[in-house]
């Protein structure tokens, strides 16, 4: 009969049920505790990066919407009214005079919602040096706020 130790290529190695040993419960608990500690240290940093990314996404979307509004204004010689809002970027106006010069759609799809799932707020009222108001209430969905809860965009003059 052949010697199993020679076939394995490792001196002293054995095959069989005795060598198929798993982890003990204590070893598993230690690994889980280490993973938990690492997540406790790394997790908050990852979540703050996600919040920061949402604010940057909102700023980028507002710039994109602003560009589309400006392009549309060049075509129809006015900004959307409060009633028309951002839907005028994707739907032809009902007013025949405006409809003739409308060269849209100015967005591929409907106006996006902000990263927190709420529609952007548009008004034809000026906002600082901008000829219209376009913003999101931020993470908390309420006016004002600080940090990630702060309003983002071209805010109304108050």
């Amino acid at each position: 009969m052949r010697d199993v130790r020679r076939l394995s290529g490792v001196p002293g190695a054995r095959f069989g049920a005795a060598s198929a040993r798993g982890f003990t419960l204590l070893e598993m608990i230690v690994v889980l505790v280490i993973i938990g500690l690492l997540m406790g240290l790394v997790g908050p940093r990852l979540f703050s990066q996600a919040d920061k990314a949402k604010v940057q996404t909102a700023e980028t979307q507002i710039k994109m919407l602003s560009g589309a509004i400006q392009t549309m204004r060049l075509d129809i010689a006015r900004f959307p009214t409060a009633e028309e809002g951002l839907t005028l970027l994707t739907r032809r106006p009902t007013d025949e005079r405006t409809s003739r010069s409308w060269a849209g759609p100015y967005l591929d799809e409907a106006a996006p919602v902000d990263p927190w799932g709420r529609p952007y707020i548009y008004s034809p009222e000026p906002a600082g040096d901008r000829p219209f108001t376009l913003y999101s209430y931020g993470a908390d969905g309420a006016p004002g706020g600080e940090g990630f809860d702060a309003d983002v965009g071209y805010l109304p003059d108050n």
Side-chain angles (χ1 to χ4, degrees), residues 15-94:
F15 293 103
S19 66
R21 185 176 158 258
F23 295 105
T24 65
L25 181 60
L26 181 61
E27 290 169 331
M28 293 296 289
I29 290 173
V30 168
V31 168
L32 290 174
V33 166
I34 291 171
I35 291 172
L37 290 172
L38 287 174
M39 289 306 295
L41 295 173
V42 175
R45 291 186 185 188
L46 290 177
F47 289 125
S48 72
Q49 291 299 320
D51 290 335
K52 184 178 176 183
K54 285 184 178 185
V55 171
Q56 289 174 340
T57 299
E59 291 170 347
T60 302
Q61 286 179 332
I62 286 170
K63 287 178 185 175
M64 180 262 313
L65 288 169
S66 175
I69 291 170
Q70 295 283 3
T71 301
M72 184 185 63
R73 182 185 126 316
L74 292 173
D75 291 340
I76 66 172
R78 67 175 178 83
F79 290 108
T81 64
E83 294 79 31
E84 293 168 331
L86 298 176
T87 59
L88 191 59
L89 294 171
T90 56
R91 277 195 249 147
R92 183 174 293 280
T94 56

Side-chain angles (χ1 to χ4, degrees), residues 95-123:
D95 173 23
E96 188 173 324
R97 182 175 159 263
T98 306
S99 181
R100 278 181 281 166
S101 57
W102 188 83
Y106 299 91
L107 296 175
D108 292 337
E109 300 173 1
V113 294
D114 70 13
W116 302 278
R118 293 181 294 276
Y120 286 101
I121 300 161
Y122 168 81
S123 170

